Structures are given as C-alpha cells and as structure tokens.
Amino acid sequence: MGSSSGARCDALMAVVRAHGPGPALEWLLRGLPAPDGDFNRGLFFGFFAGAGRRFARAADGDFTPAPGELSALEAAGVQVPAAFRLSDLVRAALLLAATDVLPPEEHVGLVREAVLKGDTDERVAALRALSLLPNPARFVELAIDSCRSHVQDVFEAVACDNPYPAAHFPEASFNQLVMKALFTEVPLDRVFDWRSRNNAELARMAGDYEAERRAAGRSVPGDIGSIQETNP
Amino acid sequence: MKMFDPHIHMTSRTTDDYAAMAEAGIVAVVEPAFWLGQPRTHVGSFEDYFLSLTGWERFRAAQFGIRHFCTMALNPKEANNPDVAQGVIDLLPRYLEKDSVVAVGEIGFDDMTPEEDTYFVQQMELARTFDLPVLIHTPHRDKKRGTEHTIKMVKELDFPEHLVLIDHNNEETLPLVLETGCYAGHSIYPHTKMDEVRMAMLVKKYGGERIIINSAADWGVADPLKVPKTVHAMRDLGVSEPEIEKIVWHNPIAFFGQSGRLDMGADSELLPRDQRELFEGNSVLRGQTPVVDEGGVEE
Ligand SMILES: [Zn+2]
C-alpha cells in the first residue's frame, strides 16, 4: 500500500497485530481489503461487524498501547489514541483499507452505510475514524447528523476526544454540539480543541442557558463560565 | 430433563407456546431463518426479519426464560427468486457476525434447481469465512435424491462434516447421513415428516450418536412440544436416559457450540425472567403483573 490511507492502515494494523488475539487476527487478515483483490461490499460489512465481537470482548478491557505505540499512532494522524478501543482501531483500519481500494466517489457511501446500518459500536468506531480518512471534509453531513442521535455513545463518538468537529464543523453545528455537551453533562474538556472554535454566538447561547438554569433554581455547569471567559 | 429445540420458528408462535415450552423443560431454542409462507418481494423485508431474529424475538424468548439463538441464510425456496436472492446474499455477512447467530441456515434444496446449487455453494463459503456450522434443509418432495445431492455437494466442497447438520430426515435418509460425519436432524410433526413413535424406533435401531430432534414448528399446524413428547415416546420404548439426554441436550449443544457463540450461561438453566424489562420501549405484557424470578435483574 503506497497511498496515505494505505500507510495509515499499516500503522494501525501494527498496533492491532501486537494486541489482537491470534484467531481474530487470522480471521481479520482474510477480510482486510487488499489493493490487488476484489472488493466485496457485503463481505466487507461482515468483517466490519465481526471486528466487535472478535476483538472487543477478547481484548478491549486490557488494551493499553505502549508509549512507543501511542507515538506511532499519533504520527499516523490519530490525535487522541486513548479514545480508541482495540476494536475501534481494527474498524478504522478496515475503513482505511477500503478507501485505499475504492474510487473516491464511493467513500462517502461506504462510511454512511457503516454508520447508518451499524449497531452502536459500529457507529462509534466509524465516527471516531472520520478524521483519518482521505479528504475528511466530505463526511461533515454524516458527522453533524450523528450528533443528533439520542444514543449518548454515538453523540460522544463525534463530540468527545475527536478532532473532527473542531476541524470541519460549520459554526452553527459546532455550537449545537457544545450546547448538547453541556445539556448532557459532558465535561467540555472532552470536546477536542473547543477553545479554538469559541465564538460570540456560542457565548450568548451559553449565557442564555445559564440564565434559564438560574431562573429554574438549578445548578449551573462550571463549563459555561469558561466559554464566556475565553470568548475572543 | 433439560431439553433443547434446535429448529423452531418462534416468530410465528405465541407467548403461550413459550410458557408451555419452558414448563415442559425446554431451556433453549434455535430459530432458523426461513420463508414466511408467502414470497417476499424485496430485500428490505429480509433485513427487518434478520433484525427481529436477533432483537425482538430473542427478547421475547428471554421474557419466558428461554435462551434464543438463530441461524441466518437465504432459504432454498427464495433462492429461486431473482428479485431478492443476490441482494440477500450481499446482506448476510453483517448478520452472520451477530452474537446470537450460531449457524448459516437453513440452506439446501427445495426444487433442486441450478439457482439452489449456486446459492448453496455461496453460503457454504460464507460459513467458512465466518467460522460457522451449517444447517441444511432437505426437500419434502424427492427427499432421498435431495439428501444424496446434499451429501455429494458437502463432499465436493470439502466442507468439514462435523460442521454440517442435515435436517428433516426419515427412515430412508437417516442411514445415508449416518454414513457421513454429518449430524442428522429429525422434525417431529403432527402429520407429515416424522412422528414420535417412528423416531423412537429409529433411535432403538441406530442409537443416539449425532442424532438431533426438533419440532420445526412454524406458522402451520405444528406442535412446539414435540421434543418433550418424543422424550416420552423414547422412554416408553426403553431408550436409556443418558441416550435420550444425548439426543435432546448434548448433541444440539455440541453441534451449535462449534460456533463459539452458544452462550448457555454458567448453569445452562432457564434464564431468570424479569418481565419488567422492555425492548426498545416495548413489553410482552398487556397489563399483566410482571413475573420476576429470583436473580432477575433490571437493566
Ligand atoms: Zn424450518
């Protein structure tokens, strides 16, 4: 694999190989799309689904990458490696390998299917992988739409420890994401690089929310103050 | 005696059936994906059916203490429908990887057409790819020829025979299956296929090795208690208790356990019921007082 997707996939797979259970690895290697092979979409989603059971329960609990592996992942563009379970890395590698062999116009459809037809874990993994994929701005609608999910794990896969929203969301969507984080009591520290996207409208929304909470005699999340203080 | 009904289409049965089965000692069931009595007109209906087999139906069974597993496949009848066949095959891998899926099935032969051959081979390959055993349906018409053809195909594909369960056998076909390493299933029906006494006589003649029995109950006239009723028939004919237990418990567990996904819990007993539970907001109750067993946990 010579492309950047291919190189990234290799970097992720190096960590997966070091931590994955043997039979699961053997199985995965049969399904990882290869540049010289036929891409079978149905089979691909079988492997994408199966990565959960085969890697998650076996190893997620005690998956702790070594310091050298963390820096290798960062060098490969994984900005918050700690947010990735082993099965998330496997699924990111599968998506990277697929985008490496598919024509660019098919990438969005493939990732959409992974998110829309997957179970919660599959959605989370695909959304965590977005910023690693080629030309990631193309997935912005999918990411915005996923933030509307009432499943908190899906929302947090985009909103928390993920560089994608700060890098690609338009202001209105980014503000909605921050407000939903406040509403669902997610610490703002987990919203990657939110300070760089702070803006007057967000400060206004946070201020209104604060007033509403006070009027109702309820506590005010401390993060509202930081939004107002750091508003440029 | 604890029992396992390894072929029953619970989607078309009632909650009374679940309650009676649990009462009679049935602890676990396998529900093979099959046809719905009328042809489906698009692939999407298969997808919703597959989702219900791993979702709502599994929940419904657990509400009565029964462990529900399923098998997924394009069934032999609908392999002949070009509007859906290839689409279902493309859909299958994702569902084959779900937790409660313990085999590819039922695949096999109905009219013995070239299309049935094609999709049989493709699905045997899927079973290999996703490390699953296969459940093979044999035809009602021309059954002996269909069984011979099935065995020939399994051998040609060099598929491991201990991972194959050939179902709906009778006096004519059982000896053919027992000559192979495949498991032999028998569907005990009120009027067709096989009845309790004939089954008990087959066991007297051939023993219990690789023998499996099921009710194959579906939306037609059928009896979901045929496994316990056949246990009585075997006792009446003097089949030993260990032999009976092998047939209605150890054999199906050994076969479907080869998937690595047959989670029978620590004790292989009925699940503790907690009818306060909801599935996506929906209950099996209609105003009744929920039954809650000791050890039932609210999630
Ligand atoms: Zn059936």
Side-chain angles (χ1 to χ4, degrees):
Chain A
M1 292 187 186
S3 70
S4 67
S5 283
R8 247 180 202 160
C9 177
D10 291 345
L12 269 54
M13 279 303 294
V15 178
V16 169
R17 279 174 208 269
H19 293 268
L25 282 171
E26 201 178 296
W27 171 83
L28 175 64
L29 294 178
R30 283 187 259 150
L32 201 63
D36 48 359
D38 288 334
F39 182 80
N40 180 319
R41 201 180 169 99
L43 279 182
F44 174 81
F45 283 112
F47 281 92
F48 192 76
R53 183 167 39 76
R54 289 166 190 269
F55 284 86
R57 275 148 243 179
D60 272 353
D62 43 36
F63 171 54
T64 319
E69 290 174 329
L70 287 175
S71 37
L73 287 172
E74 279 164 16
V78 183
Q79 295 184 56
V80 193
F84 283 73
R85 298 166 297 181
L86 183 59
S87 56
D88 295 331
L89 284 180
V90 172
R91 285 174 166 147
L94 280 164
L95 288 173
L96 283 163
T99 54
D100 200 36
V101 301
L102 285 173
E105 62 273 17
E106 291 182 28
H107 295 179
V108 175
L110 184 88
V111 179
R112 267 183 70 82
E113 185 168 343
V115 171
L116 299 185
K117 293 209 170 168
D119 61 20
T120 299
D121 267 1
E122 290 169 57
R123 287 175 192 204
V124 165
L127 293 166
R128 289 223 169 277
L130 289 183
S131 57
L132 299 172
L133 302 178
N135 191 4
R138 298 176 297 169
F139 305 106
V140 72
E141 285 306 324
L142 181 64
I144 291 170
D145 195 48
S146 301
C147 277
R148 298 186 184 113
S149 171
H150 67 280
V151 180
Q152 188 68 11
D153 285 347
V154 172
F155 168 68
E156 290 185 15
V158 182
C160 298
D161 310 310
N162 188 339
Y164 192 89
H168 300 288
F169 273 29
E171 184 175 294
S173 307
F174 193 81
N175 292 351
Q176 284 298 331
L177 180 156
V178 172
M179 292 306 296
K180 186 163 175 178
L182 292 176
F183 266 80
T184 57
E185 294 172 2
V186 169
L188 267 195
D189 280 352
R190 294 194 61 206
V191 179
F192 190 88
D193 208 15
W194 69 269
R195 285 184 172 80
S196 75
R197 295 295 308 271
N198 200 356
N199 59 80
E201 177 65 3
L202 180 59
R204 191 218 31 95
M205 291 165 90
D208 285 358
Y209 181 44
E210 178 180 1
E212 187 185 310
R213 300 277 304 185
R214 285 197 196 287
R218 304 175 68 188
S219 66
V220 175
D223 282 334
I224 291 186
S226 6
I227 293 175
Q228 289 164 328
E229 283 156 29
T230 60
N231 172 36
Chain B
M1 180 180 289
K2 284 192 287 192
M3 286 169 254
F4 196 126
D5 191 339
H7 187 146
I8 183 163
H9 301 283
M10 290 310 301
T11 305
S12 13
R13 308 303 305 186
T14 64
T15 53
D16 281 359
D17 288 341
Y18 271 128
M21 288 161 69
E23 179 68 31
I26 296 174
V27 169
V29 297
V30 169
E31 173 153 11
F34 198 51
W35 79 309
L36 299 183
Q38 65 181 32
R40 280 165 278 206
T41 56
H42 53 264
V43 175
S45 356
F46 282 85
E47 188 154 27
D48 288 328
Y49 175 59
F50 293 164
L51 284 167
S52 78
L53 289 181
T54 54
W56 173 247
E57 199 54 43
R58 184 167 166 77
F59 169 80
R60 218 164 69 97
Q63 292 296 289
F64 296 88
I66 292 183
R67 296 171 193 272
H68 184 280
F69 305 93
C70 66
T71 74
M72 295 274 183
L74 170 68
N75 63 76
K77 256 183 208 296
E78 285 170 300
N80 295 304
N81 178 352
D83 291 339
V84 299
Q86 190 57 47
V88 175
I89 295 289
D90 294 341
L91 197 65
L92 268 179
R94 139 173 296 154
Y95 292 97
L96 291 179
E97 276 296 312
K98 302 269 178 200
D99 286 345
S100 61
V101 177
V102 293
V104 172
E106 29 192 326
I107 59 174
F109 301 97
D110 184 48
D111 269 351
M112 308 252 271
T113 62
E115 287 74 19
E116 290 172 25
D117 273 357
T118 303
Y119 292 115
F120 181 87
V121 171
Q122 286 194 29
Q123 295 189 92
M124 294 291 275
E125 288 307 322
L126 285 176
R128 245 196 260 268
T129 303
F130 295 105
D131 308 318
L132 286 168
V134 295
L135 168 61
I136 304 180
H137 163 99
T138 51
H140 307 271
R141 304 171 301 278
D142 210 2
K143 181 177 281 292
K144 192 169 178 198
R145 180 66 64 79
T147 307
E148 287 165 348
H149 185 64
T150 299
I151 293 169
K152 181 174 135 271
M153 297 285 280
V154 168
K155 289 192 184 292
E156 272 177 24
L157 291 167
D158 200 22
F159 197 91
E161 291 174 9
H162 61 278
L163 291 175
V164 174
L165 166 53
I166 298 178
D167 212 344
H168 314 317
N169 283 288
N170 60 22
E171 288 83 353
E172 296 271 280
T173 60
L174 176 58
L176 303 176
V177 176
L178 286 181
E179 276 171 24
T180 71
C182 303
Y183 282 75
H186 304 79
S187 298
I188 318 298
Y189 255 32
H191 300 295
T192 59
K193 294 190 182 176
M194 175 59 66
D195 67 32
E196 297 95 305
V197 176
R198 280 165 59 203
M199 187 66 228
M201 283 160 59
L202 280 177
V203 172
K204 287 293 276 186
K205 182 165 179 191
Y206 295 100
E209 205 64 49
R210 285 181 284 123
I211 299 284
I212 282 177
I213 63 172
N214 59 65
S215 71
D218 56 15
W219 25 254
V221 176
D223 181 352
L225 299 181
K226 279 298 188 191
V227 171
K229 286 177 182 172
T230 307
V231 166
H232 290 302
M234 288 191 283
R235 267 187 199 133
D236 288 348
L237 272 187
V239 179
S240 75
E241 289 299 300
E243 197 81 337
I244 295 175
E245 196 174 12
K246 186 185 190 99
I247 292 167
V248 300
W249 186 252
H250 296 295
N251 284 350
I253 289 177
F255 179 75
F256 290 106
Q258 297 178 103
S259 66
R261 309 183 201 170
L262 192 78
D263 178 6
M264 296 294 293
D267 54 3
S268 296
E269 294 290 344
L270 282 169
L271 290 162
R273 291 166 297 176
D274 184 350
Q275 296 185 344
R276 296 168 302 185
E277 286 185 355
L278 301 177
F279 179 81
E280 292 176 0
N282 206 354
S283 166
V284 295
L285 301 180
R286 295 291 178 267
Q288 297 86 349
T289 306
V291 175
V292 181
D293 291 325
E294 194 78 25
V297 278
E298 213 169 1
E299 281 188 43

